[in-house]
Amino acid sequence: MTENNAVLLTIEDTIATVTLNRPEAMNAFNQDSYHGLMETAQKIKETPEIRCVIMTGAGGRAFSAGMDLKMIAGGGSGSSAVMAKVRTGFDRLYGLKSIFTMYEELATPVIAAINGYCFGAGFELSLCCDIRMCAEHAMFSLPEMPLGVVPDLGSTQRLPRIIGTGYAKELIITGRRINAQEALRINLVNHVYPKDQLLPEARKLAEEIAKLNPRHCEAAKRAVNMSMSTPLDWGLRLETDICIGAGSGQSFSEEAKKFLKNK
């Protein structure tokens, strides 16, 4: 288990569980949360025994309610180590985005088990997960626009790739809330379960994934991720290269590495 109490990491057999752990604040993100997410992603990356990751929120009411308003009011100027790693303006904001991206780029598949409110930055973090499932009482929203802020932690880029531009623009511009069934209808989540079945079902899926060859899982995940930002002709080449690389025990073939270096 990690030392940062805002984000807990537990590892059981080959499955890691990342728990956003500020239930008193509906798991809203403060500086400790960002630091904990960064520390946890690095720990998972350095632990090759982990074959699958489940991400969820503590307390049963929320996955995450988004950014902690106290952090916003304070301007994010505290002494947390994560804020010391980035400067102000573009660099600071892009640094926060990069923490979320760490989960998208993990070699292991990540399952988001969304057990309640999933708002703002919490919503944007869930978009970095490979598979999203939620409880029947889950609610989703990007409330930034009605508050006078453009969503800025990746949702304008990731959400259209997941649900299409029309639905994405509607959710982003209006900031309206949608429930679990609507999220399922627009393909934001893969599955909806009763509250008490969510984590057991996430665990069941994680166990299924954990039985697979980890190199092949990594290769498939990277190939699909690249399809979202690569023209089809290059995507087909990369798929071939990645699969050849996985078969030889490498994440990428030399051809793919050359392309990615110049991309």
Side-chain angles (χ1 to χ4, degrees):
M1 185 174 292
T2 57
E3 296 180 0
N4 186 312
N5 289 328
V7 179
L8 303 179
L9 172 65
T10 56
I11 302 172
E12 184 179 348
D13 299 325
T14 57
I15 298 171
T17 301
V18 177
T19 305
L20 306 174
N21 188 44
R22 299 187 68 230
E24 74 286 353
M26 297 181 68
N27 303 318
F29 296 140
N30 63 4
Q31 294 173 17
D32 287 340
S33 301
Y34 285 108
H35 182 74
L37 284 167
M38 181 170 60
E39 178 187 62
T40 298
Q42 188 62 33
K43 175 66 175 177
I44 293 169
K45 185 177 180 180
E46 295 170 354
T47 309
E49 296 80 13
I50 295 173
R51 301 291 180 83
C52 193
V53 178
I54 298 170
M55 181 178 289
T56 193
R61 294 179 60 207
F63 178 77
S64 172
M67 195 81 77
D68 193 316
L69 295 179
K70 293 180 180 178
M71 176 177 167
I72 297 173
S77 58
S79 60
S80 171
V82 68
M83 292 306 173
K85 293 181 181 294
V86 292
R87 299 191 297 276
T88 58
F90 180 92
D91 290 322
R92 176 181 177 277
L93 180 56
Y94 197 78
L96 296 180
K97 292 177 195 281
S98 298
I99 295 172
F100 285 11
T101 301
M102 291 175 76
Y103 289 88
E104 188 173 55
E105 294 181 346
L106 284 174
T108 52
V110 181
I111 301 168
I114 300 166
N115 55 329
Y117 293 107
C118 186
F119 289 175
F123 189 134
E124 293 178 294
L125 176 61
S126 78
L127 298 178
C128 296
C129 298
D130 301 294
I131 299 167
R132 284 166 297 282
M133 56 178 63
C134 72
E136 291 174 334
H137 69 293
M139 296 290 292
F140 300 83
S141 177
L142 291 165
E144 288 87 347
M145 288 285 285
L147 298 175
V149 180
V150 177
D152 54 16
L153 289 176
S155 59
T156 67
Q157 301 306 301
R158 292 188 174 100
L159 189 59
R161 289 170 163 85
I162 294 169
I163 65 172
T165 56
Y167 284 130
K169 287 176 182 177
E170 182 178 350
L171 291 180
I172 290 168
I173 293 171
T174 66
R176 71 181 181 89
R177 298 184 182 188
I178 61 170
N179 61 24
Q181 291 303 321
E182 178 70 359
L184 180 65
R185 188 183 72 82
I186 64 175
N187 295 322
L188 177 59
V189 300
N190 296 47
H191 308 283
V192 176
Y193 296 107
K195 182 178 181 179
D196 61 348
Q197 293 180 24
L198 176 63
L199 285 178
E201 290 293 338
R203 179 79 187 188
K204 186 186 300 182
L205 178 57
E207 289 172 348
E208 182 179 348
I209 292 170
K211 294 176 183 177
L212 303 173
N213 185 313
R215 289 200 305 272
H216 294 171
C217 281
E218 177 184 6
K221 173 175 174 172
R222 292 194 180 196
V224 173
N225 282 353
M226 287 177 188
S227 75
M228 308 306 290
S229 58
T230 305
L232 179 59
D233 56 342
W234 268 108
L236 292 173
R237 291 184 62 183
L238 279 169
E239 179 188 67
T240 304
D241 292 331
I242 289 169
C243 292
I244 291 172
S248 63
Q250 303 295 323
S251 297
F252 297 101
S253 72
E254 291 304 315
E255 180 69 16
K257 288 178 182 178
K258 291 177 184 177
F259 171 77
L260 293 171
K261 184 177 180 180
N262 297 321
K263 191 171 182 292

PDB file of all heavy atoms in Angstrom, residues 191-205:
ATOM      1  N   HIS A 191     -20.468  -1.268 -19.080  1.00  0.00           N
ATOM      2  CA  HIS A 191     -21.403  -2.072 -18.306  1.00  0.00           C
ATOM      3  C   HIS A 191     -21.955  -1.247 -17.144  1.00  0.00           C
ATOM      4  O   HIS A 191     -21.274  -0.352 -16.625  1.00  0.00           O
ATOM      5  CB  HIS A 191     -20.726  -3.320 -17.726  1.00  0.00           C
ATOM      6  CG  HIS A 191     -19.978  -4.136 -18.743  1.00  0.00           C
ATOM      7  ND1 HIS A 191     -20.607  -4.967 -19.643  1.00  0.00           N
ATOM      8  CD2 HIS A 191     -18.646  -4.236 -18.996  1.00  0.00           C
ATOM      9  CE1 HIS A 191     -19.706  -5.551 -20.405  1.00  0.00           C
ATOM     10  NE2 HIS A 191     -18.508  -5.130 -20.045  1.00  0.00           N
ATOM     11  N   VAL A 192     -23.180  -1.586 -16.719  1.00  0.00           N
ATOM     12  CA  VAL A 192     -23.801  -0.994 -15.533  1.00  0.00           C
ATOM     13  C   VAL A 192     -24.229  -2.141 -14.621  1.00  0.00           C
ATOM     14  O   VAL A 192     -24.850  -3.102 -15.077  1.00  0.00           O
ATOM     15  CB  VAL A 192     -25.028  -0.132 -15.901  1.00  0.00           C
ATOM     16  CG1 VAL A 192     -25.709   0.404 -14.639  1.00  0.00           C
ATOM     17  CG2 VAL A 192     -24.612   1.022 -16.809  1.00  0.00           C
ATOM     18  N   TYR A 193     -23.892  -2.014 -13.318  1.00  0.00           N
ATOM     19  CA  TYR A 193     -24.198  -3.073 -12.360  1.00  0.00           C
ATOM     20  C   TYR A 193     -24.850  -2.483 -11.108  1.00  0.00           C
ATOM     21  O   TYR A 193     -24.642  -1.297 -10.789  1.00  0.00           O
ATOM     22  CB  TYR A 193     -22.912  -3.789 -11.927  1.00  0.00           C
ATOM     23  CG  TYR A 193     -22.207  -4.513 -13.041  1.00  0.00           C
ATOM     24  CD1 TYR A 193     -21.014  -4.021 -13.573  1.00  0.00           C
ATOM     25  CD2 TYR A 193     -22.707  -5.705 -13.551  1.00  0.00           C
ATOM     26  CE1 TYR A 193     -20.350  -4.683 -14.595  1.00  0.00           C
ATOM     27  CE2 TYR A 193     -22.049  -6.386 -14.572  1.00  0.00           C
ATOM     28  CZ  TYR A 193     -20.875  -5.870 -15.087  1.00  0.00           C
ATOM     29  OH  TYR A 193     -20.231  -6.532 -16.096  1.00  0.00           O
ATOM     30  N   PRO A 194     -25.615  -3.297 -10.374  1.00  0.00           N
ATOM     31  CA  PRO A 194     -26.057  -2.865  -9.046  1.00  0.00           C
ATOM     32  C   PRO A 194     -24.835  -2.520  -8.192  1.00  0.00           C
ATOM     33  O   PRO A 194     -23.744  -3.080  -8.388  1.00  0.00           O
ATOM     34  CB  PRO A 194     -26.788  -4.097  -8.494  1.00  0.00           C
ATOM     35  CG  PRO A 194     -27.243  -4.834  -9.714  1.00  0.00           C
ATOM     36  CD  PRO A 194     -26.160  -4.618 -10.739  1.00  0.00           C
ATOM     37  N   LYS A 195     -25.017  -1.616  -7.268  1.00  0.00           N
ATOM     38  CA  LYS A 195     -23.910  -1.086  -6.473  1.00  0.00           C
ATOM     39  C   LYS A 195     -23.049  -2.178  -5.857  1.00  0.00           C
ATOM     40  O   LYS A 195     -21.813  -2.125  -5.908  1.00  0.00           O
ATOM     41  CB  LYS A 195     -24.464  -0.168  -5.386  1.00  0.00           C
ATOM     42  CG  LYS A 195     -23.421   0.497  -4.514  1.00  0.00           C
ATOM     43  CD  LYS A 195     -24.090   1.426  -3.510  1.00  0.00           C
ATOM     44  CE  LYS A 195     -23.061   2.123  -2.630  1.00  0.00           C
ATOM     45  NZ  LYS A 195     -23.716   3.042  -1.666  1.00  0.00           N
ATOM     46  N   ASP A 196     -23.690  -3.200  -5.274  1.00  0.00           N
ATOM     47  CA  ASP A 196     -22.933  -4.230  -4.568  1.00  0.00           C
ATOM     48  C   ASP A 196     -22.247  -5.216  -5.508  1.00  0.00           C
ATOM     49  O   ASP A 196     -21.431  -6.035  -5.068  1.00  0.00           O
ATOM     50  CB  ASP A 196     -23.825  -4.978  -3.577  1.00  0.00           C
ATOM     51  CG  ASP A 196     -24.994  -5.698  -4.254  1.00  0.00           C
ATOM     52  OD1 ASP A 196     -25.245  -5.441  -5.454  1.00  0.00           O
ATOM     53  OD2 ASP A 196     -25.659  -6.500  -3.580  1.00  0.00           O
ATOM     54  N   GLN A 197     -22.551  -5.145  -6.795  1.00  0.00           N
ATOM     55  CA  GLN A 197     -21.927  -6.057  -7.756  1.00  0.00           C
ATOM     56  C   GLN A 197     -20.799  -5.407  -8.554  1.00  0.00           C
ATOM     57  O   GLN A 197     -20.065  -6.089  -9.275  1.00  0.00           O
ATOM     58  CB  GLN A 197     -22.981  -6.593  -8.721  1.00  0.00           C
ATOM     59  CG  GLN A 197     -24.009  -7.499  -8.076  1.00  0.00           C
ATOM     60  CD  GLN A 197     -25.035  -8.021  -9.075  1.00  0.00           C
ATOM     61  OE1 GLN A 197     -24.762  -8.089 -10.272  1.00  0.00           O
ATOM     62  NE2 GLN A 197     -26.203  -8.371  -8.583  1.00  0.00           N
ATOM     63  N   LEU A 198     -20.655  -4.092  -8.435  1.00  0.00           N
ATOM     64  CA  LEU A 198     -19.699  -3.387  -9.279  1.00  0.00           C
ATOM     65  C   LEU A 198     -18.269  -3.880  -9.081  1.00  0.00           C
ATOM     66  O   LEU A 198     -17.603  -4.290 -10.043  1.00  0.00           O
ATOM     67  CB  LEU A 198     -19.778  -1.875  -9.029  1.00  0.00           C
ATOM     68  CG  LEU A 198     -18.752  -1.028  -9.797  1.00  0.00           C
ATOM     69  CD1 LEU A 198     -18.978  -1.154 -11.303  1.00  0.00           C
ATOM     70  CD2 LEU A 198     -18.820   0.430  -9.356  1.00  0.00           C
ATOM     71  N   LEU A 199     -17.763  -3.839  -7.876  1.00  0.00           N
ATOM     72  CA  LEU A 199     -16.377  -4.252  -7.645  1.00  0.00           C
ATOM     73  C   LEU A 199     -16.161  -5.741  -7.889  1.00  0.00           C
ATOM     74  O   LEU A 199     -15.141  -6.115  -8.485  1.00  0.00           O
ATOM     75  CB  LEU A 199     -15.932  -3.846  -6.238  1.00  0.00           C
ATOM     76  CG  LEU A 199     -15.646  -2.339  -6.073  1.00  0.00           C
ATOM     77  CD1 LEU A 199     -15.261  -2.023  -4.641  1.00  0.00           C
ATOM     78  CD2 LEU A 199     -14.539  -1.891  -7.030  1.00  0.00           C
ATOM     79  N   PRO A 200     -17.087  -6.630  -7.474  1.00  0.00           N
ATOM     80  CA  PRO A 200     -16.897  -8.039  -7.838  1.00  0.00           C
ATOM     81  C   PRO A 200     -16.840  -8.260  -9.345  1.00  0.00           C
ATOM     82  O   PRO A 200     -16.044  -9.073  -9.834  1.00  0.00           O
ATOM     83  CB  PRO A 200     -18.120  -8.724  -7.213  1.00  0.00           C
ATOM     84  CG  PRO A 200     -18.473  -7.872  -6.046  1.00  0.00           C
ATOM     85  CD  PRO A 200     -18.198  -6.469  -6.504  1.00  0.00           C
ATOM     86  N   GLU A 201     -17.659  -7.537 -10.102  1.00  0.00           N
ATOM     87  CA  GLU A 201     -17.628  -7.681 -11.559  1.00  0.00           C
ATOM     88  C   GLU A 201     -16.333  -7.111 -12.145  1.00  0.00           C
ATOM     89  O   GLU A 201     -15.778  -7.663 -13.104  1.00  0.00           O
ATOM     90  CB  GLU A 201     -18.841  -7.011 -12.184  1.00  0.00           C
ATOM     91  CG  GLU A 201     -20.154  -7.716 -11.920  1.00  0.00           C
ATOM     92  CD  GLU A 201     -20.250  -9.073 -12.597  1.00  0.00           C
ATOM     93  OE1 GLU A 201     -19.516  -9.310 -13.585  1.00  0.00           O
ATOM     94  OE2 GLU A 201     -21.072  -9.892 -12.141  1.00  0.00           O
ATOM     95  N   ALA A 202     -15.864  -6.001 -11.578  1.00  0.00           N
ATOM     96  CA  ALA A 202     -14.592  -5.443 -12.032  1.00  0.00           C
ATOM     97  C   ALA A 202     -13.458  -6.422 -11.749  1.00  0.00           C
ATOM     98  O   ALA A 202     -12.561  -6.627 -12.578  1.00  0.00           O
ATOM     99  CB  ALA A 202     -14.320  -4.110 -11.343  1.00  0.00           C
ATOM    100  N   ARG A 203     -13.509  -7.039 -10.590  1.00  0.00           N
ATOM    101  CA  ARG A 203     -12.494  -8.025 -10.221  1.00  0.00           C
ATOM    102  C   ARG A 203     -12.552  -9.237 -11.151  1.00  0.00           C
ATOM    103  O   ARG A 203     -11.518  -9.760 -11.582  1.00  0.00           O
ATOM    104  CB  ARG A 203     -12.722  -8.459  -8.762  1.00  0.00           C
ATOM    105  CG  ARG A 203     -11.741  -9.517  -8.270  1.00  0.00           C
ATOM    106  CD  ARG A 203     -10.416  -8.925  -7.897  1.00  0.00           C
ATOM    107  NE  ARG A 203      -9.435  -9.958  -7.588  1.00  0.00           N
ATOM    108  CZ  ARG A 203      -8.233  -9.722  -7.089  1.00  0.00           C
ATOM    109  NH1 ARG A 203      -7.866  -8.480  -6.833  1.00  0.00           N
ATOM    110  NH2 ARG A 203      -7.400 -10.699  -6.849  1.00  0.00           N
ATOM    111  N   LYS A 204     -13.743  -9.664 -11.479  1.00  0.00           N
ATOM    112  CA  LYS A 204     -13.906 -10.815 -12.369  1.00  0.00           C
ATOM    113  C   LYS A 204     -13.280 -10.521 -13.741  1.00  0.00           C
ATOM    114  O   LYS A 204     -12.582 -11.367 -14.322  1.00  0.00           O
ATOM    115  CB  LYS A 204     -15.388 -11.141 -12.524  1.00  0.00           C
ATOM    116  CG  LYS A 204     -15.677 -12.420 -13.306  1.00  0.00           C
ATOM    117  CD  LYS A 204     -17.168 -12.599 -13.543  1.00  0.00           C
ATOM    118  CE  LYS A 204     -17.955 -12.689 -12.246  1.00  0.00           C
ATOM    119  NZ  LYS A 204     -19.406 -12.923 -12.488  1.00  0.00           N
ATOM    120  N   LEU A 205     -13.536  -9.319 -14.264  1.00  0.00           N
ATOM    121  CA  LEU A 205     -12.961  -8.942 -15.554  1.00  0.00           C
ATOM    122  C   LEU A 205     -11.441  -8.832 -15.443  1.00  0.00           C
ATOM    123  O   LEU A 205     -10.702  -9.271 -16.340  1.00  0.00           O
ATOM    124  CB  LEU A 205     -13.555  -7.620 -16.026  1.00  0.00           C
ATOM    125  CG  LEU A 205     -13.009  -7.056 -17.342  1.00  0.00           C
ATOM    126  CD1 LEU A 205     -13.180  -8.048 -18.488  1.00  0.00           C
ATOM    127  CD2 LEU A 205     -13.708  -5.741 -17.681  1.00  0.00           C
TER     128      LEU A 205
END
